[in-house]
Amino acid sequence: MTKLAILSDIHGNLPALEAVISDMKNFEVDQVIVPGDVINFGPFSRKTAEIVIENSWPVIRGNNEYFLLDYKTPRAPAEWNDPVQFSPTAWLDKQFDQKLKNIIATWPDMLNLRFRDAPPIQVFHGTPASPWDSIYWTSSDDEIENILSKIETDFVICGHTHLPMDRQVGRWRIFNPGSVGVPLDGIFSASYMILEGDFEVTKIINNT
């Protein structure tokens, strides 16, 4: 059976990513999937991006990749020019040369996974419509069904909230691995998820 490791919201936290990479050796995964926010917040954004790229892990853009790609462009909102509030974005921008920025610019906003021995699964960062929006445990079934109404797959993977989730709503099963680099579930260790085969077997790993 295909076995996946899902690593989201690394946020430039190199020690946390290294701990997860070490821990993943216990599971002999076939593929690592990264649902966005590889960079920003932590001090090692360039290195965490390089690790994802060097390992050829399928990865999508999260909202924090947009901070890097749209900063100082006509696409940037006017408030991004605030030198105080967005000083971390200016610092992030200086960490990346144009070659790395160009690679990240090619990352997709969504992935559709189609393994032979597993059901199709769609990967997005926040919601299918926006990397800035979220699906929460507290979201109502009606809210989630509206968010996923145009998604054809029965399984989806998201991130962005930094909160682990395995939830069934209507025909959709929704997975969120939590955050590798900035956990918000009160457990101060890196969180990631293992999915196997038919995706009915899941493990949320948060002890690394």
Side-chain angles (χ1 to χ4, degrees):
M1 293 193 303
T2 298
K3 186 182 294 185
L4 308 178
I6 315 299
L7 280 58
S8 190
D9 296 277
I10 301 167
H11 284 294
N13 188 334
L14 180 61
L17 178 57
E18 290 176 335
V20 167
I21 290 172
S22 177
D23 194 70
M24 281 195 300
K25 295 175 183 177
N26 297 315
F27 299 98
E28 298 181 349
V29 300
D30 298 298
Q31 187 60 268
V32 177
I33 308 297
V34 184
D37 277 9
V38 175
I39 62 174
N40 212 10
F41 292 178
F44 303 106
S45 287
R46 181 186 177 99
K47 184 59 179 177
T48 53
E50 288 174 340
I51 288 172
V52 170
I53 292 165
E54 289 165 3
N55 282 281
S56 299
W57 293 339
V59 57
I60 60 175
R61 283 187 294 245
N63 59 301
N64 280 274
E65 278 74 45
Y66 275 93
F67 280 126
L68 174 68
L69 298 174
D70 287 358
Y71 181 65
K72 289 187 175 179
T73 75
R75 299 185 298 269
E79 60 265 26
W80 287 19
N81 294 320
D82 185 321
V84 176
Q85 183 179 358
F86 282 86
S87 58
T89 307
W91 183 75
L92 175 72
D93 181 65
K94 292 177 181 178
Q95 293 184 61
F96 288 82
D97 58 28
Q98 194 58 48
K99 181 179 179 181
L100 263 180
K101 289 178 183 176
N102 286 345
I103 292 173
I104 295 171
T106 68
W107 292 357
D109 293 315
M110 205 174 289
L111 288 173
N112 289 285
L113 310 180
R114 301 184 72 87
F115 297 100
R116 287 178 65 92
D117 62 348
I121 187 165
Q122 191 151 7
V123 186
F124 47 84
H125 182 65
T127 70
S130 171
W132 304 91
D133 297 330
S134 302
I135 298 175
Y136 290 104
W137 270 111
T138 53
S139 300
S140 69
D141 285 4
D142 286 345
E143 289 172 329
I144 293 175
E145 288 180 358
N146 184 59
I147 289 169
L148 300 180
S149 61
K150 295 182 180 180
I151 298 296
E152 295 181 357
T153 63
D154 292 338
F155 294 84
V156 299
I157 297 171
C158 59
H160 192 50
T161 65
H162 299 206
L163 299 169
M165 180 168 61
D166 179 351
R167 178 174 173 180
Q168 186 77 40
V169 175
R171 66 178 178 86
W172 295 283
R173 188 161 177 184
I174 306 148
F175 300 118
N176 187 322
S179 173
V180 170
V182 188
L184 296 179
D185 57 359
I187 302 173
F188 298 109
S189 58
S191 175
Y192 71 105
M193 179 177 281
I194 300 292
L195 298 180
E196 297 184 53
D198 59 6
F199 302 148
E200 290 303 320
V201 179
T202 69
K203 301 180 182 71
I204 296 174
I205 316 298
N206 57 15
N207 59 355
T208 56

